[in-house]
Amino acid sequence: MKKKTRRRRCKSCHDLFMPDPRHLKRQKFCTKPECKTDSTMHSQQNWLKKEKNRDYFSGSEHVIRVQQWRKENPGYWKRGKSKKTPALFGHALQDTLLANTSDGKGF
Ligand SMILES: [Zn+2]
């Protein structure tokens, strides 16, 4: 018996194609150049979506809260060097913790 490779329908041109066995699960586009372009765009969009979601859930909300808190407590951040790193991701989350803990104890 011959091994049967399931054919797939390309998400872009809707033609049937034989997916590369190594990428069986991931390949949703055939090997036509225009579909490859589509595939690249598709995965990039997916990636962007994921990034956005991640930002949305674990980032911006906290960042905004921290930024607001910073506005209300400007003196706090003048201690030490004011770092304006683009990677305030980890910082922001830490800051949130700080903000939360110092919030209830009154200023
Ligand atoms: Zn195609």
Side-chain angles (χ1 to χ4, degrees), residues 10 12-13 30 32 35:
C10 171
S12 175
C13 65
C30 71
K32 284 179 205 163
C35 299

Side-chain angles (χ1 to χ4, degrees), residues 13-75:
C13 65
H14 303 286
D15 274 357
L16 286 172
F17 70 99
M18 301 285 270
D20 185 327
R22 283 168 300 178
H23 306 292
L24 206 59
K25 279 179 188 168
R26 303 197 102 199
Q27 203 172 356
K28 285 165 184 155
F29 297 86
C30 71
T31 49
K32 284 179 205 163
E34 68 260 34
C35 299
K36 272 192 172 174
T37 317
D38 239 33
S39 147
T40 314
M41 272 172 48
H42 194 79
S43 52
Q44 257 169 8
Q45 267 170 6
N46 264 353
W47 185 78
L48 279 176
K49 258 190 223 162
K50 269 186 204 163
E51 284 297 297
K52 262 190 197 167
N53 286 344
R54 220 196 297 167
D55 261 16
Y56 182 77
F57 285 120
S58 64
S60 39
E61 210 183 309
H62 294 293
V63 173
I64 287 166
R65 212 189 305 163
V66 171
Q67 276 168 352
Q68 274 173 351
W69 189 85
R70 280 187 194 185
K71 262 188 210 165
E72 286 161 28
N73 308 271

